[in-house]
Amino acid sequence: MKILGISAFYHDSAAAIVEDGNIIAAAQEERFTRKKHDPSFPTNAVKYCLQECATSLDKLDAIVFYDKPFLKFERLLETYYGFAPKGLKSFITAIPVWLKEKIFLKKLIFDELRKIEAFDKKKVNLLFPEHHLSHAASAFFPSNFKDSAILTIDGVGEWATASICHGKDNNISILKELKFPHSLGLLYSAFTYFLGFRVNSGEYKLMGLAPYGRKDHENIKKYEEVIKSELIHIYDDGSIWLNQKYFNYATGLKMVKDNAWEPLFGMTKREPEGDLEQKHCDLGLAIQNVTEEIVIKMARHAKEITNSDYLCLAGGVALNCVANGKLLNEKIFKDIFIQPAAGDAGGALGAALIAYYIYYNNERIISDELDQIKGSYLGPSYLDKDIQYVAKKYGASSSLIKDDDYFYSLVADLLANGSVVGWFQGRMEFGQGH
Ligand SMILES: [Fe+2]
């Protein structure tokens, strides 16, 4: 049984292919097109997956898209009506695109696939699982845990912004969901925006900025208090409520309300590429601390309601490896598995696995290996002759060294002399690249 998973049209488009439960290949479109976070249909990634699995579109049992377009459309409409007439500007921007492309997603997917190769669409089963279920499946099924709590946290899917699921054998039950507009991912993105980085891209820079904050300085405490008293309320189960007075993502095209945050934190929004000052680092540390507190509370609650010894993590917030490290140190669970492609790219893999295990009800494969994603090396690899061809094409000087010992000592010498060495080896990784 061969199943193709696809994520596309938001950010980080990707494709993945699963054959009889084995993850054969997965790749992100940006690695082929060289457009960071490329949201377009993953034509190159699909072609690669089919090739790696030695199959064609006609031979697939199912093609699975990583979320439900109609539910997402419903969120856009209801959010608009809920806030009307406030969101008119973003509504006018978003809706024509939805009407033209996303609502007719089935046709759009078939049209794009037909550009790759001819196939009979009547023979293909096209499925649309929910966004957070795709995230949950991308972590649980490859984890080799028979029973596990699953925590997914991101910006937003259709309605859900976080979920607690329970994975058992070949099934996943959704136990709890946090709904839009209350979202830890969007909160973190709002700070990413306020601190002058790009939303949906620069969150890792904010995470990297945080350690430059002054750990025990009174400012950190002050900022944390402002965040908790004005911007959000944190409940004991880790769910959060975001005060929409300060945010603009539900109705506008910006993350935060104009001039609303400045008096709260006593600083203006940092301009992109503007100077980085101590106060920016301090604010970065404050939101990182709050994020970690929420993630740990959510994980504790997941433990309470599943009573499982293990935890799987996915969704964009699971890319916050600093928070993940702290969570691991809390020892709430015996072990944790984190999907390396925790963002929406991983949804392609999760979607394919949902079809195999949940939709077709196949028995779960569990192995003794650490995981089933081959260390996340699921992309294409290249032969020496391919590399030589590219070097020649672009006029780069190159030499082929066949003696391994000599090669390693050469690289060690280069490093010892202060050179920077790039190392390219084996299959391409599936997961976030910066
Ligand atoms: Fe997501």
Side-chain angles (χ1 to χ4, degrees):
M1 176 174 277
K2 297 184 183 82
I3 300 163
L4 179 72
I6 291 171
S7 74
F9 307 129
Y10 184 44
H11 52 82
D12 299 321
S13 290
I17 199 157
V18 170
E19 184 177 22
D20 298 329
N22 292 310
I23 301 161
I24 304 295
Q28 214 166 312
E29 187 67 4
E30 65 165 25
R31 308 293 164 87
F32 300 98
T33 60
R34 302 177 68 84
K35 285 184 201 150
K36 203 170 173 183
H37 304 297
D38 195 343
S40 55
F41 189 82
T43 304
N44 296 288
V46 169
K47 272 187 198 165
Y48 159 68
C49 284
L50 293 173
Q51 190 190 341
E52 191 69 37
C53 196
T55 192
S56 58
L57 291 170
D58 253 339
K59 294 193 183 108
L60 295 173
D61 294 275
I63 296 173
V64 198
F65 191 73
Y66 81 130
D67 67 12
K68 283 192 188 298
F70 280 94
L71 271 181
K72 213 176 215 174
F73 186 63
E74 179 193 270
R75 167 168 61 81
L76 281 180
L77 279 180
E78 284 200 17
T79 305
Y80 168 64
Y81 283 115
F83 287 86
K86 273 191 196 155
L88 192 60
K89 206 170 155 199
S90 70
F91 186 78
I92 289 171
T93 314
I95 294 306
V97 182
W98 271 89
L99 288 178
K100 230 172 46 205
E101 291 180 359
K102 296 180 184 170
I103 211 88
F104 301 114
L105 199 58
K106 201 168 175 177
K107 184 180 178 311
L108 182 67
I109 291 171
F110 281 140
D111 287 350
E112 290 292 339
L113 289 172
R114 216 172 278 124
K115 287 180 198 163
I116 296 172
E117 61 188 40
F119 72 104
D120 182 359
K121 69 177 185 185
K122 283 186 212 112
K123 280 190 190 160
V124 173
N125 193 6
L126 185 60
L127 304 169
F128 296 90
E130 275 181 48
H131 188 103
H132 273 257
L133 192 61
S134 295
H135 277 314
S138 76
F140 175 62
F141 290 127
S143 74
N144 281 332
F145 298 148
K146 211 172 147 41
D147 179 302
S148 173
I150 313 165
L151 185 56
T152 67
I153 319 170
D154 68 359
V156 61
E158 297 92 0
W159 278 102
T161 61
S163 76
I164 296 175
C165 302
H166 195 175
K168 264 191 207 167
D169 298 318
N170 71 343
N171 205 6
I172 295 173
S173 328
I174 302 173
L175 303 181
K176 273 198 165 179
E177 280 184 339
L178 183 65
K179 300 255 166 84
F180 183 85
H182 308 294
S183 161
L184 179 55
L186 290 175
L187 175 70
Y188 204 83
S189 292
F191 276 87
T192 302
Y193 168 81
F194 190 70
L195 286 167
F197 303 115
R198 270 180 64 186
V199 171
N200 281 338
S201 168
E203 281 75 5
Y204 76 101
K205 291 184 182 168
L206 172 54
M207 185 181 77
L209 186 70
Y212 294 98
R214 294 167 290 181
K215 206 172 159 225
D216 297 314
H217 196 274
E218 60 184 48
N219 272 11
I220 311 294
K221 230 183 175 56
K222 206 173 79 191
Y223 290 149
E224 283 180 30
E225 272 167 21
V226 172
I227 295 169
K228 289 185 200 172
S229 63
E230 291 291 331
L231 297 184
I232 62 168
H233 182 78
I234 308 170
Y235 297 93
D236 287 344
D237 63 0
S239 63
I240 53 172
W241 175 85
L242 268 67
N243 188 349
Q244 292 304 305
K245 198 172 117 189
Y246 294 107
F247 298 91
N248 207 22
Y249 53 77
T251 56
L253 299 169
K254 286 184 206 159
M255 291 304 292
V256 307
K257 285 255 166 75
D258 283 340
N259 307 321
W261 284 34
E262 281 76 2
L264 288 183
F265 298 109
M267 67 178 88
T268 52
K269 178 191 171 314
R270 180 178 163 260
E271 288 309 311
E273 308 300 325
D275 286 342
L276 269 172
E277 297 170 35
Q278 188 58 52
K279 61 185 179 192
H280 300 129
C281 306
D282 288 348
L283 188 58
L285 179 57
I287 187 59
Q288 178 65 26
N289 286 345
V290 172
T291 301
E292 288 163 11
E293 182 186 329
I294 296 167
V295 169
I296 289 168
K297 276 194 166 157
M298 284 183 176
R300 280 196 197 288
H301 189 60
K303 171 78 186 177
E304 270 165 29
I305 61 175
T306 61
N307 201 26
S308 184
D309 289 334
Y310 299 96
L311 176 71
C312 293
L313 276 178
V317 178
L319 294 169
N320 195 314
C321 50
V322 179
N324 296 345
K326 300 254 170 83
L327 177 59
L328 188 68
N329 286 341
E330 290 288 311
K331 297 193 167 46
I332 304 166
F333 295 92
K334 274 188 192 161
D335 204 359
I336 296 178
F337 176 80
I338 302 154
Q339 165 55 248
D344 281 358
L349 176 61
L353 291 168
I354 286 170
Y356 184 75
Y357 287 115
I358 302 177
Y359 183 82
Y360 289 111
N361 195 23
N362 283 302
E363 200 181 324
R364 174 106 178 273
I365 299 167
I366 292 185
S367 73
D368 296 333
E369 307 271 312
L370 215 50
D371 59 59
Q372 293 185 22
I373 48 171
K374 306 176 175 88
S376 213
Y377 296 115
L378 296 167
S381 60
Y382 297 90
L383 299 169
D384 286 342
K385 68 176 173 55
D386 301 324
I387 296 162
Q388 281 176 311
Y389 169 78
V390 172
K392 205 170 162 188
K393 187 178 165 188
Y394 291 99
S397 71
S398 67
S399 51
L400 181 65
I401 300 164
K402 291 208 164 171
D403 179 345
D404 279 354
D405 289 341
Y406 171 64
F407 177 64
Y408 297 140
S409 67
L410 182 73
V411 172
D413 282 346
L414 284 169
L415 284 173
N417 291 327
S419 299
V420 175
V421 174
W423 192 289
F424 173 87
Q425 183 180 37
R427 291 182 77 175
M428 185 174 78
E429 285 168 308
F430 185 49
Q432 208 75 0
H434 291 297

